[in-house]
Amino acid sequence: MGFYIVQTLTGLSDASSLFLVACGLSLIFGVSRIVNMAHGSFYMVGAYLAYFFIDKLPQGPFHFWIGILLSALAVGLIGMIVEVFLLRRLYHAPELFILFATFGIVLIIQDLSRWLFGAEDILGQQAPGLSSSINIMGSYIPQYDIALIIIAPLILLGLWLLLTKTRWGILVRAATEDREMTDALGVNQTWLFTSVFFLGSFLAGLGGAVQLPKGGADLLMDLNIIATAFVIVVVGGMGSIPGAYLAAVIIGELNAFGILVFPQSTLVLMFLVMAVVLIIRPYGLLGKEEAPEHDNAPAPESIIRPASRRLKTAGAVFLAVILALPAVANTFQLVLITEIALFALACMSLYFIMGPGGMVSFGHAAYFGGGAYFAALMVHYLHTPMELTLFLAPLLTGCLALIIGWFCVQLSGVYLAMLTLAFAQICWSIVFQWGAVTGGDDGLLSIWPSAWASNKIIFYYLAMTLCIGGILILRHFIFTPFGYTLRACRDSALRVDSIGINLKRHQWFAFSIAGIFAGLAGGLYVFLKGSIFPDEMAISRSFDFLFMVLLGGVNSLFGPIAGSAAFTWLHDTISRINLWQLILGSIFIVLVVAFPQGIAGSIGSRLNKYFRDPA
Amino acid sequence: MTDQKNNYLLDVTDLNSFYGKAQILFDMTLRINRGEVVVLLGRNGAGKTTTFKSIMGIVKPRSGKVRFKNKEIQSLPPFKTCGLGLGYVPEDRRVFSRLTILENLEVGRQPARQGRPAWTAERLFELFPNLAERRHQNGGNLSGGEQQMLTIARTLMGNPEMIILDEPSEGLAPVIVDQLAATLLKLKNEKVSILLAEQNLSFAKRVCDRAYLVYQGTVCHESTLAELDNDQYEKYCSL
């Protein structure tokens, strides 16, 4: 009995820090519509800074709590600086570009933390006076856990008072609902946004700081917490602070008890709970259906036209160059070009759901890595030949996308994107934690093509055939009635609904098709590299794909190919340098600030005229 | 006036506005004197709403000038335009549905202007008795007429010298339209200048002094409402 009470209390205390992070994320998103990927980094910085402050402050009865508060304030300040100097310039840029800027911050903070605090995991200090344990019917719970259990509801109450009883809170709620109208009523939202950013970052920092005595600090905290925070926001209901608490408690309890059932991965349980909640209440436990945005509708995407004669000629020349390449290129270059082709196929599948489908996936690596792992597992355990593997792996990935997609298409926009990221992170953690089967961090090795294709040149032709074929098939889909319907779904859900088209089914189908082709790319990747590691499924891989698509431009079909070539080259060049994540992050930010309307978009529109048929 | 500056309260000159590549306003020009109630009459899509959004700064005009109290405001953001004393009541009302009536009013609250008593929630509840009973209810639970009253009240909380109302009578029951007309006349007595857009001519005739007929993004005809030429109205505005 005591054991169960202690597990319950442990779950509640875990929930506290989760709640702090999730409600900060939710507040910031509500007002600014920015999905702040760096929120998890703020949480991590909160933990590191708290360790630093508690270490440096003179010992006393309060130095622990003062350290925690100082760290939260410092993180709030960092958030404010990010808002004032970076995000404020970007409010009119497309959502995805802002997302990239915040992901750039994630990379920068990641490398800076490694540099400042070291790569070693840090064990947190204990709170003075709260370092012993309480005996509950024979089981023990740390006193500090009880303190955490009390903190979260107090903060919930404080936030509730702030949001309902102060003018600031009323303005924040008004801006969350309708920014333009709030503006027209004379409210200068600049300071409102900045203060919300401060509060949200403060809460993230506080979340990281208070969990220090329990979990310490490490460099994986940032992306681990952000996926959990997305799940909490989705489960609790967007913009609902009490919902965030409720969801945090559910997830916290789930982790506390789930560990008894599924010691390998409690994230599987998180997946199940999220699934059940989304089936019963698509807008989350305490969420309401989103009011339609009043902001001016985004500029319509440029119309995708079938290839002109000139473009077809250009394509044929391109194809000829690819066929002739093995005659001039060395093995290393061939492998690099094969890799580019694989990424181009994966990008094309992402573009397929993002561009015509209008569904942004933050977790496309789940299908690329999924295909790769399905292939690797089949070869490793069943010794299937390459040909069969390359046929089955995409199909299995398609099934995975079918399952994940069903949940994702229940939502739309940013919420859909959050969900894809959460699912991808769950897939990653299964692969990462289930070491007995997947090899965990060590990956799966020695997976080579069949004998006839083991020559790099032959494998090059095989990969090119499959990739170009896949890209052309995806392209063909865009010009079928199915593709037209998909674009109609993107442009006006309401109108599509009223002429009797089942929007969700089309989106679901598109999602699964994209999964199949990403899975094919992943399967080929395993045979190209001969091995597979969980990194191929990680969040940063998903963002690589997104970045490739954005680099190439969302409005053109050649975009994914150009983007993957440019990105793979860039990555190959800088990843040999120390602190390369810092450089990559800075490049993200500079590109987004310099070209808020899209990089290839601006170049592409200039090039476009050369490929148009003469009138 | 002998000065180069004129004495109009609001002076809109040669405004050209676009949505993307589509030009909506073509040299839109109109002038409102202090204390006047002026109406823009025109069909759907004539450019009335775009004119208002351009005046407020919600849409940035590509060229032309907007002067309010002799100050150029065409490049100001909406909150600054509002701060100068220009209140805006949008067409689709845009009540904050998750805020109570009192909270909706609080969002609109601005400091009082010199020489005028500030609007308070209590004074507004005298003007709109229906809202008083429901002050703690969420905006989303109000009827269309109540929402229209709430948006006007919310804008008045900013103590504007002039308010811009976009089709206030649209979609309201006739008895509510009567109340609305009475309210606007009370505001006129309080020396609030009013610019409104309408398609309801009889409503406009009850409250307005002067009319501009708007057709295809520009003003085609101007006259007092008493002398409004029926042929001109039929030509540009009738449906």
Side-chain angles (χ1 to χ4, degrees):
Chain A
M1 187 62 208
F3 172 75
Y4 290 103
I5 295 176
V6 165
Q7 280 310 104
T8 311
L9 291 176
T10 307
L12 269 179
S13 81
D14 288 344
S16 295
S17 142
L18 294 178
F19 161 69
L20 292 176
V21 178
C23 74
L25 188 73
S26 191
L27 267 176
I28 290 178
F29 176 73
V31 171
S32 65
R33 299 277 136 182
I34 288 178
V35 180
N36 184 17
M37 291 299 297
H39 207 70
S41 307
F42 291 164
Y43 167 81
M44 179 174 78
V45 171
Y48 275 118
L49 283 182
Y51 179 83
F52 173 79
F53 282 128
I54 296 168
D55 202 39
K56 297 292 174 215
L57 282 171
Q59 298 279 318
F62 298 114
H63 82 285
F64 176 84
W65 296 106
I66 293 173
I68 283 190
L69 203 63
L70 279 178
S71 135
L73 284 171
V75 174
L77 216 61
I78 295 174
M80 238 168 103
I81 290 170
V82 166
E83 198 276 340
V84 171
F85 289 102
L86 176 63
L87 300 177
R88 190 175 286 178
R89 300 161 189 276
L90 298 175
Y91 285 127
H92 296 288
E95 260 171 15
L96 269 178
F97 283 85
I98 308 179
L99 185 86
F100 260 92
T102 65
F103 191 68
I105 298 169
V106 171
L107 294 177
I108 291 175
I109 290 183
Q110 175 72 223
D111 260 4
L112 282 181
S113 305
R114 192 190 311 274
W115 182 56
L116 286 172
F117 304 109
E120 298 285 311
D121 292 1
I122 287 177
L123 211 61
Q125 301 96 333
Q126 294 303 314
L130 294 174
S131 49
S132 57
S133 294
I134 300 170
N135 181 345
I136 297 175
M137 289 186 242
S139 294
Y140 289 89
I141 181 156
Q143 286 173 324
Y144 187 73
D145 281 27
I146 306 292
L148 277 185
I149 293 173
I150 299 167
I151 287 174
L154 285 179
I155 293 201
L156 177 64
L157 180 71
L159 282 176
W160 181 78
L161 289 174
L162 193 64
L163 286 173
T164 53
K165 301 293 173 200
T166 65
R167 176 170 167 84
W168 182 84
I170 291 170
L171 294 183
V172 166
R173 283 158 57 217
T176 302
E177 201 174 319
D178 189 342
R179 277 191 280 175
E180 194 179 271
M181 194 62 229
T182 312
D183 195 3
L185 286 168
V187 178
N188 180 358
Q189 294 179 75
T190 315
W191 66 266
L192 198 65
F193 278 33
T194 310
S195 55
V196 166
F197 245 88
F198 174 80
L199 181 65
S201 312
F202 173 87
L203 290 170
L206 190 64
V210 294
Q211 66 79 53
L212 186 67
K214 291 187 73 176
D218 61 72
L219 290 169
L220 287 177
M221 285 168 81
D222 52 355
L223 292 180
N224 279 340
I225 195 81
I226 196 81
T228 314
F230 280 3
V231 171
I232 290 172
V233 170
V234 169
V235 168
M238 328 301 175
S240 166
I241 306 268
Y245 185 63
L246 187 62
V249 168
I250 291 173
I251 301 289
E253 291 300 336
L254 211 61
N255 283 336
F257 285 98
I259 204 121
L260 309 173
V261 190
F262 277 104
Q264 290 90 358
S265 179
T266 51
L267 280 158
V268 176
L269 281 174
M270 195 158 91
F271 161 78
L272 287 175
V273 167
M274 186 166 67
V276 171
V277 168
L278 285 176
I279 293 168
I280 303 168
R281 292 187 63 93
Y283 297 98
L285 291 171
L286 299 183
K288 295 188 187 113
E289 192 168 349
E290 276 287 286
E293 263 286 294
H294 267 293
D295 285 339
N296 293 333
E301 304 225 9
S302 63
I303 297 165
I304 304 165
R305 296 177 200 284
S308 63
R309 206 173 308 140
R310 285 188 187 182
L311 199 62
K312 278 181 181 156
T313 317
V317 171
F318 183 65
L319 210 61
V321 169
I322 285 179
L323 282 176
L325 258 179
V328 286
N330 61 34
T331 312
F332 173 76
Q333 287 164 334
L334 274 189
V335 169
L336 192 69
I337 292 164
T338 315
E339 202 175 320
I340 289 174
L342 300 181
F343 285 147
L345 177 60
C347 283
M348 185 68 191
S349 73
L350 175 60
Y351 166 78
F352 180 68
I353 51 173
M354 246 173 87
M359 296 177 282
V360 177
S361 166
F362 290 178
H364 214 60
Y367 316 108
F368 180 78
Y373 265 98
F374 281 131
L377 289 170
M378 272 190 282
V379 174
H380 191 82
Y381 289 102
L382 305 173
H383 306 289
T384 51
M386 180 187 79
E387 298 78 12
L388 185 64
T389 311
L390 281 182
F391 177 71
L392 286 179
L395 286 185
L396 286 170
T397 317
C399 294
L400 179 73
L402 211 59
I403 298 169
I404 296 178
W406 189 88
F407 293 104
C408 292
V409 301
Q410 307 300 318
L411 300 178
S412 62
V414 163
Y415 305 124
L416 181 151
M418 281 188 181
L419 210 53
T420 57
L421 182 135
F423 277 115
Q425 186 67 359
I426 289 165
C427 292
W428 172 83
S429 74
I430 291 172
V431 166
F432 188 77
Q433 293 177 350
W434 202 11
V437 174
T438 61
D441 206 11
D442 298 328
L444 292 168
L445 308 173
S446 306
I447 295 137
W448 298 109
S450 302
W452 64 269
S454 58
N455 181 312
K456 286 293 174 209
I457 295 179
I458 295 183
F459 190 80
Y460 169 83
Y461 282 120
L462 173 72
M464 283 300 164
T465 312
L466 289 176
C467 288
I468 293 172
I471 289 172
L472 288 177
I473 291 173
L474 280 171
R475 187 186 150 83
H476 174 75
F477 274 133
I478 296 173
F479 297 105
T480 58
F482 172 73
Y484 296 141
T485 313
L486 203 57
R487 278 188 267 163
C489 292
R490 171 196 71 192
D491 290 342
S492 178
L494 205 63
R495 274 172 245 172
V496 157
D497 219 15
S498 58
I499 56 170
I501 290 172
N502 188 334
L503 175 135
K504 282 179 182 167
R505 189 179 298 160
H506 279 84
Q507 291 185 326
W508 186 28
F509 192 45
F511 205 96
S512 311
I513 290 176
I516 292 174
F517 284 95
L520 175 62
L524 281 166
Y525 185 79
V526 173
F527 287 108
L528 176 72
K529 294 278 175 177
S531 58
I532 183 72
F533 301 97
D535 287 356
E536 297 307 328
M537 267 183 140
I539 290 179
S540 39
R541 178 57 89 202
S542 293
F543 271 80
D544 288 349
F545 289 138
L546 271 176
F547 190 57
M548 291 177 206
V549 172
L550 289 182
L551 201 65
V554 193
N555 286 336
S556 79
L557 292 167
F558 263 110
I561 300 172
S564 58
F567 182 84
T568 309
W569 172 80
L570 179 75
H571 200 276
D572 196 62
T573 314
I574 66 165
S575 62
R576 293 165 205 171
I577 312 169
N578 241 349
L579 295 180
W580 66 273
Q581 293 197 81
L582 192 141
I583 299 168
L584 189 65
S586 311
I587 292 176
F588 280 179
I589 291 175
V590 169
L591 284 180
V592 170
V593 172
F595 305 97
Q597 297 311 318
I599 304 136
S602 45
I603 302 167
S605 58
R606 255 171 253 165
L607 284 180
N608 225 350
K609 60 174 180 254
Y610 299 113
F611 289 109
R612 217 169 286 148
D613 276 329
Chain B
M1 290 277 103
T2 51
D3 196 281
Q4 275 194 326
K5 291 178 177 177
N6 52 52
N7 211 18
Y8 296 116
L9 180 62
L10 180 74
D11 177 358
V12 177
T13 312
D14 291 339
L15 213 54
N16 289 291
S17 287
F18 292 71
Y19 286 133
K21 284 176 186 163
Q23 185 166 6
I24 308 297
L25 298 187
F26 297 84
D27 295 333
M28 175 62 73
T29 298
L30 41 97
R31 304 199 159 93
I32 287 102
N33 291 306
R34 211 171 269 277
E36 233 184 346
V37 179
V38 174
V39 63
L40 304 188
L41 292 166
R43 293 174 195 150
N44 282 339
K48 306 184 297 289
T49 299
T50 308
T51 305
F52 289 176
K53 286 189 168 175
S54 304
I55 293 172
M56 285 308 294
I58 295 170
V59 170
K60 296 267 170 269
R62 197 164 293 177
S63 67
K65 280 198 166 56
V66 182
R67 298 169 79 88
F68 180 65
K69 297 194 288 185
N70 272 322
K71 201 173 154 122
E72 281 192 19
I73 61 166
Q74 69 273 3
S75 52
L76 293 185
F79 77 90
K80 284 196 176 157
T81 307
C82 176
L84 287 172
L86 197 53
Y88 173 54
V89 179
E91 184 178 16
D92 35 7
R93 299 184 187 128
R94 294 166 75 161
V95 159
F96 298 112
S97 61
R98 293 177 201 170
L99 271 57
T100 65
I101 289 186
L102 276 175
E103 286 171 337
N104 265 281
L105 295 179
E106 175 63 28
V107 177
R109 185 167 63 82
Q110 296 285 321
R113 255 159 248 290
Q114 276 191 332
R116 282 167 190 262
W119 286 100
T120 61
E122 288 312 317
R123 265 185 80 202
L124 286 166
F125 288 147
E126 284 169 27
L127 199 61
F128 305 105
N130 288 356
L131 297 181
E133 303 156 16
R134 304 178 157 233
R135 61 184 75 187
H136 294 295
Q137 282 197 20
N138 276 1
N141 298 340
L142 302 180
S143 71
E146 287 163 339
Q147 288 196 358
Q148 186 64 63
M149 299 301 174
L150 177 56
T151 35
I152 296 174
R154 186 177 64 182
T155 299
L156 288 174
M157 282 297 280
N159 298 303
E161 291 173 50
M162 173 171 178
I163 55 174
I164 293 177
L165 293 118
D166 200 350
E167 304 215 15
S169 74
E170 192 193 17
L172 299 184
V175 54
I176 310 284
V177 174
D178 291 344
Q179 282 179 25
L180 186 68
T183 308
L184 293 185
L185 288 173
K186 274 187 205 164
L187 290 178
K188 189 181 178 184
N189 283 337
E190 302 251 359
K191 301 275 183 283
V192 179
S193 313
I194 300 173
L195 172 62
L196 71 168
E198 261 308 332
Q199 297 198 54
N200 180 340
L201 183 60
S202 70
F203 174 76
K205 278 185 170 164
R206 273 187 280 170
V207 291
C208 302
D209 307 317
R210 204 153 55 81
Y212 288 101
L213 304 190
V214 180
Y215 181 73
Q216 295 191 343
T218 195
V219 167
C220 294
H221 186 70
E222 181 194 344
S223 103
T224 62
L225 270 163
E227 298 162 0
L228 182 63
D229 184 318
N230 209 38
D231 291 343
Q232 293 283 346
Y233 179 77
E234 288 290 321
K235 183 173 168 195
Y236 293 118
C237 302
S238 78
L239 295 171

